[in-house]
Amino acid sequence: IKICEEVFAVDFEVIIRELTAEIRRLNDLLEAKEAQNAALTEQVRKLTEQIAELTHKKNSNNSSTPPSADHFDKPAPKSLRGKSGKPQGGQKGHSGNGMKIDRKPDAEEIHMPAQCANCPNRKVCNHLKCAGTRYVYDVEIKTTLTAHKVMAGTCAVLGSHVEGAYPPGVTGTKQYGSGVYSLVMSLLTVGYMSEDRIKKLLTSLNVPISTGTIQSMLSRAAANAEEAEKYIKDKITSQSVVNFDEMGMRVNGSLHWLHCACCGSWRFYSIQERRGEEGMDLMGVLPHFCGIAVHDFWSSYKKFKNVVHAMCCQHLERELIYAEETGNQEWAGKLRKLLQGMCHAKNLQMAEGKEAFSEAELQAYMAQYDEIVAEGLKANPVPERKPGQRGRRRRGKIRCLLDRFQDCKEDILRFATDWKVPYTNNAAEQAIRFARIKEKVSGCFRSEKGAEQFARVLSFVSTAVRHGISSFDAFLSLHRETALAMLQGF
């Protein structure tokens, strides 16, 4: 090196320092590029997932997303039921449900031949017989205004003052009868009409009424239904299987929750400020219920340890559709077919009078369920924890769904192990669906008191209707304060 330095006059130590510095700079640049590449790779992964979610996003067909959240991207209707292969319309042996004559005619009209119109023997002629009869159902809307006059004076026999009495129920100088009361309440609750529309309708029928009077009728009905509401709640609490659901409603400008508990012919509704455990406690059914609670996977229900839980399988079917459509998860289609097959087999055997699956058949279903879930878990492993990563590892929607099937197997398959339990929670979902109709008609309730009154009256009338009582007759019993006695007769 010294000879080279002398010959070529080059300082190699300077060159070595410069090259070392350049190597260090290039190493730093390479590390920065590697970090940038890792960040871009992670960003690409996240964007790919977002594209997949946007391409196959959840809607009311493939998830528990309510139809109201679909907005303008509403998917085409797609039933979860498979094709049966049967022709459309009534099936062979179907009894039919057409118009039936359920009573004797209120009036008869005789239509004579035109040739008999001016016949002198018409009254004594006995050559004509009925050739055919056609019945016409019709409605006659008639309003009446009755003046109840009380007579008073001095009795010519007794010599004392005598005075008549108003009939029971006629307590005011001007008032509405039980028919108007029952009609208004039927339109307000079962018909879900707004107070303003009811006022316009009755005014067109020559019944002058104000929206304030309609609200007063609701308050009176709620007061008369208080004991009936307690009876309904006690009845539901004593049942072995009860369906539960909840839905948001606007009350006084804020979000409240309409809670529903129903079974068979009994319906109970309650308006609360909270959706979760606090609202369910205030509703007053779940804390005292000791049977089987059928519901969706809302976590607040699981906090009640005093009940046995059963999950709605129709919610799970939609989640399985999403998994099958978005992630090419073959196990999801298999599991969905298995659940549907178990439900179908249960319905067929129940129609034959059986009360449970045989032990061998049930164990075969359980083994097939475990096998399919294990296949899904193998195809969707939990991501390994990266160096320095803290907190829970991100599992993804598919893995979370599989964990639910694994951890909640007993609750999901409750419909198969206990045939009193339904396959779906449709009973509660259908019972609470009116909330959306009421919301579209009236927008919201203006006060919490009004919402509570509506829920109480609806609990009574929907229960009465489920027992075969018309809403009009049900409100007549409220007007006469015999509602509790009517329910006790069931």
Side-chain angles (χ1 to χ4, degrees), residues 257-457:
W257 293 90
L258 176 70
H259 293 262
C260 171
C262 62
C263 60
S265 300
W266 303 93
R267 298 283 185 273
F268 178 72
Y269 300 94
S270 176
I271 291 281
Q272 303 296 337
E273 291 187 26
R274 296 287 182 268
R275 180 188 183 188
E277 186 179 5
E278 182 181 349
M280 296 172 186
D281 278 330
L282 293 174
M283 182 186 183
V285 175
L286 273 170
H288 310 290
F289 180 57
C290 298
I292 300 175
V294 184
H295 53 81
D296 54 22
F297 276 88
W298 178 238
S299 58
S300 297
Y301 288 110
K302 298 290 286 184
K303 295 179 181 179
F304 291 89
K305 306 301 181 182
N306 54 301
V307 303
V308 177
H309 298 276
M311 302 304 180
C312 174
C313 289
Q314 197 161 47
H315 281 77
L316 292 170
E317 280 196 44
R318 298 190 189 102
E319 300 286 349
L320 290 171
I321 290 175
Y322 176 80
E324 190 176 10
E325 289 179 349
T326 59
N328 296 322
Q329 304 286 333
E330 294 184 4
W331 65 269
K334 295 178 183 178
L335 188 53
R336 181 165 166 253
K337 289 180 181 179
L338 174 63
L339 293 174
Q340 290 179 338
M342 294 172 70
C343 177
H344 184 61
K346 171 186 170 181
N347 293 336
L348 289 178
Q349 294 187 31
M350 287 181 67
E352 296 173 357
K354 297 181 180 179
E355 297 181 352
F357 286 125
S358 66
E359 186 64 26
E361 189 176 7
L362 183 61
Q363 292 302 322
Y365 281 135
M366 295 292 183
Q368 193 174 353
Y369 179 95
D370 293 337
E371 182 181 345
I372 296 173
V373 172
E375 178 186 340
L377 292 172
K378 184 178 180 181
N380 298 272
V382 178
E384 295 183 1
R385 188 181 298 277
K386 297 179 181 179
Q389 184 180 8
R390 303 175 65 183
R392 294 186 61 185
R393 286 174 287 180
R394 189 176 184 275
R395 293 172 175 261
K397 296 178 180 178
I398 304 299
R399 179 68 193 206
C400 289
L401 177 62
L402 281 161
D403 290 342
R404 197 187 312 169
F405 275 109
Q406 185 181 42
D407 299 339
C408 303
K409 172 187 174 182
E410 187 176 355
D411 295 340
I412 292 172
L413 299 182
R414 187 85 57 192
F415 77 95
T417 56
D418 187 342
W419 283 14
K420 297 191 304 293
V421 179
Y423 180 72
T424 71
N425 194 34
N426 285 353
E429 292 182 6
Q430 292 169 0
I432 208 171
R433 195 169 294 165
F434 78 90
R436 286 290 166 260
I437 303 174
K438 183 67 177 176
E439 186 178 54
K440 290 180 180 179
V441 170
S442 302
C444 68
F445 290 99
R446 295 185 178 180
S447 66
E448 291 185 8
K449 183 178 180 180
E452 292 170 358
Q453 290 174 344
F454 185 86
R456 177 182 298 168
V457 171

Side-chain angles (χ1 to χ4, degrees), residues 239-270:
Q239 300 296 314
S240 59
V241 180
V242 177
N243 296 73
F244 294 89
D245 200 8
E246 72 292 326
M247 182 176 289
M249 292 194 74
R250 306 295 297 183
V251 178
N252 195 23
S254 63
L255 180 63
H256 284 56
W257 293 90
L258 176 70
H259 293 262
C260 171
C262 62
C263 60
S265 300
W266 303 93
R267 298 283 185 273
F268 178 72
Y269 300 94
S270 176

Side-chain angles (χ1 to χ4, degrees), residues 12 15 105 152 175 205 207 216 420 452:
F12 281 98
I15 295 175
Q175 67 181 73
L205 299 176
V207 180
S216 298
K420 297 191 304 293
E452 292 170 358

